[in-house]
Structure formats: structure tokens, C-alpha cells
Amino acid sequence: MELISKLPNLETTIFSVMSALAKEYNAINLSQGFPDFESDPKLIDLVTQAMKSGYNQYAPMAGVLELRERIAEKYDLLYQSGYHPEAEITITSGATQAISCIISAFIRNNDEVIIFKPAYDCYEPFIELNGGKVIPIQLEYPKYEIDWDTVKQKINAQTKMIIINTPHNPSGRIFSKNDMLKLQGLTKNSNILVLSDEVYEHITFDDEKHQSVCLFPDLKSRSFVVASFGKTFHNTGWKIGYCCAPKELMEEFRKVHQFNVYCVNHPMQIALANYLKESSNYLGLSQFYQEKRDLFLSLISSSRFKFIPSKGTYFQVLDYSEITQEADIEFAKRLAIKHGIASIPLSVFNVNNLDHKVLRFCFAKTSDTLRKAAYILNSI
């Protein structure tokens, strides 16, 4: 039997490669984006209570209504921009499943989708699987800024969607209000949809405010917001997220969602609904992670790595150009094998594998882990 791959050029993800090296060489794993500390015990207890209370069968397809109501309240509180809990919010099996369903629901053969690189690595395969064409635009190093004139030039009659990610993984930049207004202006009076990956919405630093698409009326009318409880509440293994969109867009999304996963873990939804009643459980995250970012950067301030402090997410990009001119993939592997610390090289996410000699490090770690990591980085 002859098999023809739908993704012939797709290789093993760099996350798998670096995590495998970290395991093999017992390296400190600052590569993959997961915390090495536990979720709030109160949240764990709420899951246990939900299971003991009998919430162990299928949840509603769109998600537990109480959880969707808490999400709607959160948007009202943070952005004064509401989503109807019954018609405009759906609970998903993580943010990646939401992204997959959005693209599957709307992208057809030869539709063009603009993405900004370096980009999280799930966007392109989903576009290609649905017959779409990826239109990559490279962010301008070192601040990872967007050239909006280039975006304007790339938009044409085939442009169906623009995917944005703010706060941005892997760079740690956040989209400014001006960025969002530019995007709104370019898509106004068009049929272009916007997929806004906002999984790190609660992790911004230095008094910077997250600029959600829902703050901009015309953008909101054509956009999906994708979010993640796993990123927010330190439980990436739970794979629970959600998306929000105007009713007419959400109706199309649910047509795909119901035959993809149908519904999501029931007791965890019940637990999250109760946990979200206390807004402090997410409002304190920026301060929590800024303390970790500041500790990490202070610990490596005497190293030969250069950096611009991350503005959001729990990732920090470090420039190693004063240490070596090795390709970033090779240097990252050497750090893991010879020095015992794993990171992510950014060239794999860039247009034509553009190599700026930078690595991404995750600082969602305990203070002890960060101190051990800094000791290694300072010795390089």
C-alpha cells in the first residue's frame, strides 16, 4: 500500500527533542513550557469533591454552564467586554484543540492564513491539513516588532485568517494597543477572521496591560479568543481551555468541536467553575510570575548572555552571540548534553530558520530550580 503523507515535511517537534535530551542527560529542563511546582491544593481538592459528588459522566458538549458563566464574568471584570455564556463560550480540551477546530471550521483549499514568526508550532500543520496556505511574516528582532506595512501588502482576496499570539510565545513580547488598532484597521470591512491566541493573558509584567481583541469592537466581531486553564493554573497536563467568539462564529466552531472531542473532563470543569469565583486566583498571576522573571534575570545578570526582559508569558529569550557563533540548535543541544540545562532554539520557529543566536528559557520554576539553572548559565 502506498501512503502519501499530508504533512510530508513535518519533523519531530523541538519540544520533544529537547525534553528527551533533558531526560537522557539529567539536565534542568527549562525548555518545555510547564511549571515544576504544583497547582493550588484548593483546586485539587475541588476536583476530588466534584468526582465524589458524581460529576463523572459526559459534560455538556459546549461545557458546564456554570464554568462558562464564570468565564463571562471574568471578561466583564477585566475588559468590560462580555460574551454570552450559552452561545459565545465553549470549553475545549486545551487551547491547541480550540485552535485546531477554529482552523478546521473555516479554512478551505487555497485560503491564505497570515501568521507571525517565530510562531507556536501547531498553527502551520493545522492550516496545511485543511488545504490552506501559510503566509509567514517575520517579527523584527530584537524586540519582535510587527511591520504593519508588510502585513498590509500580504493581505489579498485569498486572505481568510490572521493568527496572532499575545502575550507572545516564544519571544515574550505583548501586542500594544497600537498593534491592535492597526490590525483592526487592516481587517475592517473585510471577510478576514482573526484567531487570537491569548493563553498567557494573565501573565504580563511591568504594569503592561494585556490587549485582548475583545477590547476592540470591530476586531471582536470577527475574532476568536483562545485561552488555557493549564497555563493559567499550573496544570498543563489537565488539557482544559476555552474559546470565545460571536454567536455566528461559535456556531460553526461547535459543528467541528462536537465531532472532535464532543466534551471535556467533567469534574475538572466543576472544580474550575468554583475556583474562578475568587478573582484573586488569576489576578495575582502577573506579580507571581514577575517575581520569578526578576529573580531569574538578577541571578544571570553577570553572565555573558544578553537579554531584553520579557513583557509577558513565562519565557525569557537569551542572546548568546557573545559566547559563540554556533547554530542555535547545536548550542542548545550542547548546553543540555555538556552543561545540564535544556532550552529551546528559536530558529525552528522563524521564516527560513533565521538564526538570531537566541534561546528560550522557561522560568515557571521553583526558586531553587532557577538558582541551579543560573549557576550553570553563569559558568558558560
Side-chain angles (χ1 to χ4, degrees):
M1 179 173 60
E2 181 182 4
L3 295 177
I4 300 176
S5 174
K6 294 180 73 175
L7 296 170
N9 300 316
L10 192 65
E11 300 176 351
T12 303
T13 71
I14 193 66
F15 302 107
S16 296
V17 171
M18 296 310 301
S19 286
L21 283 176
K23 184 176 181 180
E24 181 179 356
Y25 292 94
N26 196 30
I28 297 173
N29 192 354
L30 302 193
S31 60
Q32 203 163 359
F34 60 85
D36 69 344
F37 46 85
E38 294 299 322
S39 300
D40 186 342
K42 291 185 291 185
L43 181 55
I44 303 296
D45 289 342
L46 287 170
V47 175
T48 302
Q49 292 172 24
M51 287 191 286
K52 288 182 176 180
S53 297
Y55 294 100
N56 299 304
Q57 308 307 324
Y58 293 124
M61 182 270 286
V64 170
L65 181 58
E66 184 182 1
L67 177 54
R68 288 182 280 150
E69 288 173 340
R70 298 293 85 76
I71 293 168
E73 290 168 2
K74 188 193 78 165
Y75 277 87
D76 285 335
L77 173 66
L78 293 180
Y79 311 116
Q80 297 78 54
S81 182
Y83 287 98
H84 194 286
E86 293 187 6
E88 299 185 321
I89 300 172
T90 300
I91 309 303
T92 63
S93 183
T96 301
Q97 184 247 321
I99 292 166
S100 171
C101 285
I102 293 164
I103 293 171
S104 296
F106 295 98
I107 298 305
R108 297 176 173 85
N109 283 338
N110 299 316
D111 283 343
E112 295 187 0
V113 181
I114 292 174
I115 68 171
F116 297 99
K117 298 199 121 192
Y120 185 56
D121 63 353
C122 81
Y123 304 152
E124 291 185 62
F126 290 146
I127 295 166
E128 292 172 1
L129 281 170
N130 287 280
K133 181 180 179 182
V134 176
I135 306 298
I137 296 177
Q138 182 69 41
L139 298 176
E140 297 179 347
Y141 184 76
K143 295 185 177 181
Y144 296 95
E145 295 173 323
I146 297 173
D147 183 340
W148 288 105
D149 288 334
T150 298
V151 179
K152 184 177 181 179
Q153 292 168 12
K154 295 290 185 180
I155 291 175
N156 58 53
Q158 282 69 52
T159 306
K160 180 66 176 182
M161 182 180 291
I162 298 175
I163 300 178
I164 66 171
N165 174 208
T166 182
H168 182 257
N169 173 20
S171 74
R173 84 178 292 271
I174 62 174
F175 278 49
S176 66
K177 182 177 180 179
N178 183 62
D179 285 326
M180 303 305 279
L181 290 172
K182 290 281 191 181
L183 178 61
Q184 180 170 252
L186 288 176
T187 56
K188 191 176 180 66
N189 299 321
S190 77
N191 291 318
I192 299 172
L193 299 174
V194 174
L195 192 168
S196 186
D197 181 349
E198 302 184 16
V199 300
Y200 299 101
E201 64 172 320
H202 299 299
I203 308 176
T204 60
F205 310 132
D206 306 319
D207 297 320
E208 296 279 3
K209 301 299 182 184
H210 170 58
Q211 300 294 323
S212 173
V213 290
C214 72
L215 290 168
F216 305 86
D218 192 74
L219 267 185
K220 181 182 177 182
S221 72
R222 66 181 64 253
S223 296
F224 280 91
V225 175
V226 174
S228 166
F229 288 120
K231 297 293 193 297
T232 300
F233 295 132
H234 328 312
N235 44 39
T236 58
W238 289 14
K239 295 301 293 179
I240 298 183
Y242 61 91
C243 66
C244 307
K247 181 183 177 189
E248 61 273 18
L249 296 182
M250 189 57 73
E251 286 175 350
E252 295 302 310
F253 174 90
R254 288 179 179 175
K255 291 177 183 178
V256 178
H257 170 79
Q258 68 177 329
F259 294 111
N260 188 320
V261 297
Y262 180 70
C263 67
V264 177
N265 190 297
H266 200 168
M268 289 179 178
Q269 289 192 61
I270 297 295
L272 287 164
N274 283 297
Y275 196 66
L276 285 173
K277 290 177 181 178
E278 295 293 333
S279 60
S280 60
N281 287 326
Y282 53 84
L283 292 177
L285 284 170
S286 286
Q287 181 62 32
F288 174 78
Y289 277 114
Q290 179 157 347
E291 289 174 2
K292 290 186 177 296
R293 182 205 67 173
D294 291 349
L295 172 63
F296 181 55
L297 294 183
S298 68
L299 289 170
I300 64 169
S301 61
S302 61
S303 75
R304 292 194 289 166
F305 290 92
K306 298 183 294 183
F307 54 81
I308 297 173
S310 172
K311 289 295 185 181
T313 76
Y314 43 56
F315 301 113
Q316 177 63 53
V317 172
L318 299 184
D319 179 329
Y320 66 83
S321 59
E322 293 186 358
I323 300 171
T324 178
Q325 288 300 302
E326 284 176 88
D328 62 354
I329 295 175
E330 297 310 312
F331 185 54
K333 289 179 178 179
R334 183 161 69 87
L335 286 185
I337 295 168
K338 300 294 185 183
H339 296 276
I341 186 166
S343 59
I344 293 292
L346 262 64
S347 68
V348 297
F349 307 120
N350 286 334
V351 174
N352 297 323
N353 299 119
L354 184 62
D355 186 352
H356 291 121
K357 311 303 178 191
V358 294
L359 304 175
R360 189 200 77 174
F361 292 81
C362 175
F363 55 81
K365 309 295 177 181
T366 64
S367 296
D368 184 54
T369 299
L370 293 176
R371 289 190 179 93
K372 290 176 180 177
Y375 179 81
I376 295 172
L377 295 175
N378 288 336
S379 68
I380 296 170

